[in-house]
Amino acid sequence: MAKFIIENNGPLKGEVTVSGAKNAVLPILAATVLTDEECIIDEVPDLKDVEVMCSILRCLGAEVKTYPEEGRVSVKMSSKVNTDPDKELLQKMRASILVLGPILVRENRATVWLPGGCAIGERPVELHYKGLRQMGSDIEVDDSGKVSTETDGLKGTEIYLDFPSVGATENIMMAATLAEGTTIIENAAQEPEIVDLANYLNKMGAKVKGAGTDIIRVEGVEKLHGAEHSVIPDRIEAGTFMVAAAMTRGNILIKNMLPNHMVPVIAKLRECGVVVEETELGVMVKADEKPLVSTDIKTLPYPGFPTDMQAQFMALLTTVEGSSIVIETVFENRYMHVAELKYMGAKIKVDDRCAIIEGNKKLKGARVRATDLRAGAAMVIAGLAAEGKTELSDIYHIERGYEKFVEKMQGLGAKISREED
Ligand code: EPZ
């Protein structure tokens, strides 16, 4: 197994360019199931998760051509979608659930397979089922994770989401584009990735209104056509580099990021004393002028502070002046990185969803592991500021979701290398 070796190499400096958003490209690739015409997606990050989604599309009957060097993927789904895709393949990635709505609305039946829970929580999907059932489908789930659905034809209706689930909003929105009549999704997720998906669906000829608000209205149409689309920049990758700059008291320029997708993260960094400035060339992040101080974080669905930035920010908070409180409200078990940070000398107390982080800690390099994608990024950030060498294992989590992570960090002067164990 591969691992990262990270050493404290002083303040990060220089510039880095953000790639396309993993959590936008995955639903957008799923949306290509909705048409048998060619779809061209640009700004696609070269990630394991993207590879898996492309394999799933091929298994469904699509011709998929990937051009990783250009960040382009072309998908042409067959006129008849395979409604019984391979179990192994679908169980590789949670986001595979996103093809359920598109297959069902095209073929009136679909079988998908769910992976078990993951490090950050049980990850139920009953809200996906709730919406598709209300649109007129029968859904059966057996204890092997097999999800079998069929319908006489999905019909638009009003659907209230008990929680503004990103995936459920995406699945229902995609199914609604070809359903008969109008679907209204209430308490919808408002993430920028939802807006990007809706923009792509509308380029395909769909009639989606209200994406980015808590009420999304979709008027079903007969057919969707192929379309081209460039995926939005990855706000979580951008946030990860901002926090890495803060952690090393560095001074970097981040290109191709959208600050208006990052308001809570930028606000919290500024509360800690980090200077964040928008310039024509990109966003300057400077933490080399004064000592950083503590702040409190509460993760919430968008536009609140993103849960996907909680672990990275917690690593930073172990080194600022004063204690901080972090409350994780989105996932029930997203503190797996706490034990790893404590191996490095962090002082953190967790009680249910609340973590109290003592500041002013000088972290020490240690042998730690990436417990999930964002926790892994947090451990790299901790290693950049720790005394001595940090060995990080299970880095496959990181390579799922960050394109060219080592090269980009090295480009900022980080002393990080990848070794086979
Ligand atoms: C998406 O996951 C992202 N993944 C996650 O990013 C992100 O953390 C999450 O949204 C929240 O922003 C992708 O977009 C591929 P949810 P998703 O449905 O859709 C509960 C990363 O690091 N819930 O909004 O699975 C669920 O258990 C990943 O890039 C239900 O209870 O998230 C969780 O506690 C991690 N029932 C909360 O809602 C449901 O039917 C948020 O889940 C669905 C969800």
Side-chain angles (χ1 to χ4, degrees):
M1 298 286 273
K3 63 187 176 187
F4 287 160
I5 309 295
I6 307 128
E7 293 184 65
N8 182 337
N9 197 42
L12 294 186
K13 295 227 178 309
E15 58 184 61
V16 66
T17 301
V18 175
S19 302
K22 168 179 83 82
N23 292 350
V25 73
L26 293 177
I28 285 170
L29 285 171
T32 64
V33 174
L34 294 165
T35 178
D36 54 12
E37 296 183 14
E38 186 178 24
C39 299
I40 307 272
I41 317 296
D42 283 316
E43 298 298 313
V44 174
D46 184 10
L47 300 173
K48 192 91 193 81
D49 275 9
V50 169
E51 263 173 56
V52 172
M53 185 56 89
C54 289
S55 305
I56 291 171
L57 295 176
R58 290 190 183 99
C59 175
L60 294 175
E63 188 192 350
V64 180
K65 287 180 260 170
T66 57
Y67 311 89
E69 288 317 306
E70 292 108 75
R72 166 167 287 203
V73 171
S74 147
V75 183
K76 191 176 184 313
M77 182 52 71
S78 51
S79 51
K80 182 128 185 44
V81 183
N82 168 16
T83 57
D84 204 355
D86 176 67
K87 169 179 179 180
E88 291 269 300
L89 192 48
L90 267 67
Q91 290 193 322
K92 277 187 179 174
M93 179 177 68
R94 308 202 52 71
S96 63
I97 184 90
L98 294 174
V99 299
L100 174 60
I103 304 170
L104 182 60
V105 79
R106 273 205 63 191
E107 302 296 342
N108 286 345
R109 62 186 298 278
T111 300
V112 294
W113 297 84
L114 284 183
C118 67
I120 60 178
E122 188 233 331
R123 308 288 293 272
V125 286
E126 87 288 341
L127 293 175
H128 299 238
Y129 303 153
K130 173 180 181 181
L132 297 175
R133 281 192 177 111
Q134 280 187 236
M135 293 173 79
S137 72
D138 294 330
I139 301 186
E140 265 157 53
V141 188
D142 74 14
D143 47 20
S144 71
K146 181 176 182 180
V147 182
S148 313
T149 62
E150 59 182 356
T151 175
D152 298 334
L154 294 183
K155 290 186 179 36
T157 183
E158 238 175 272
I159 297 159
Y160 171 76
L161 294 181
D162 306 56
F163 180 88
S165 153
V166 170
T169 303
E170 291 167 342
N171 230 332
I172 296 163
M173 184 163 76
M174 288 190 280
T177 58
L178 293 175
E180 189 192 318
T182 299
T183 300
I184 295 175
I185 306 171
E186 286 157 348
N187 197 27
Q190 305 176 46
E191 276 71 0
E193 292 77 25
I194 303 274
V195 177
D196 206 29
L197 173 60
N199 290 340
Y200 182 54
L201 291 169
N202 286 338
K203 282 183 184 174
M204 296 171 79
K207 291 182 178 164
V208 181
K209 289 196 175 68
T213 75
D214 61 342
I215 299 191
I216 297 178
R217 195 186 172 80
V218 186
E219 215 181 302
V221 296
E222 274 301 302
K223 202 170 163 359
L224 295 184
H225 51 72
E228 291 212 22
H229 187 72
S230 285
V231 171
I232 54 170
D234 193 317
R235 61 193 167 99
I236 305 302
E237 182 192 17
T240 302
F241 286 118
M242 296 179 89
V243 171
M247 183 69 155
T248 59
R249 307 319 186 246
N251 179 340
I252 70 170
L253 175 73
I254 303 181
K255 301 176 117 174
N256 190 42
M257 71 172 259
L258 299 174
N260 58 323
H261 288 174
M262 312 274 313
V263 169
V265 175
I266 292 172
K268 286 297 167 181
L269 284 168
R270 285 176 172 156
E271 283 176 23
C272 290
V274 178
V275 174
V276 180
E277 253 165 50
E278 284 182 55
T279 75
E280 299 93 69
L281 298 175
V283 175
M284 288 297 295
V285 180
K286 295 196 284 201
D288 51 0
E289 293 170 352
K290 58 186 180 185
L292 300 187
V293 296
S294 65
T295 185
D296 296 336
I297 304 272
K298 181 172 187 176
T299 69
L300 286 166
Y302 196 90
F305 188 93
T307 174
D308 292 350
M309 280 301 304
Q310 180 256 107
Q312 301 92 311
F313 221 98
M314 185 185 283
L316 171 65
L317 293 174
T318 65
T319 66
V320 301
E321 279 176 18
S323 294
S324 305
I325 296 175
V326 170
I327 302 177
E328 170 58 56
T329 74
V330 177
F331 286 100
E332 73 272 20
N333 184 33
R334 203 166 196 175
Y335 285 140
M336 305 285 277
H337 44 284
V338 169
E340 304 301 316
L341 288 170
K342 288 165 83 169
Y343 290 142
M344 298 179 72
K347 285 260 177 310
I348 304 169
K349 271 205 197 71
V350 172
D351 179 359
D352 193 22
R353 300 270 182 133
C354 180
I356 300 168
I357 298 100
E358 241 183 79
N360 292 331
K361 289 292 157 255
K362 189 77 193 109
L363 300 178
K364 287 189 178 36
R367 298 173 72 147
V368 288
R369 50 189 283 269
T371 52
D372 57 270
L373 168 57
R374 307 302 175 185
M379 300 320 294
V380 171
I381 288 169
L384 292 175
E387 253 163 58
K389 191 164 84 167
T390 297
E391 279 191 27
L392 177 61
S393 60
D394 295 348
I395 57 167
Y396 61 89
H397 286 293
I398 300 175
E399 296 179 328
R400 267 188 49 211
Y402 285 96
E403 182 182 52
K404 298 190 179 67
F405 192 60
V406 170
E407 294 83 343
K408 290 189 180 186
M409 280 290 186
Q410 288 169 342
L412 292 169
K415 206 165 182 184
I416 177 172
S417 59
R418 184 183 195 281
E419 280 181 20
E420 289 302 326
D421 223 351

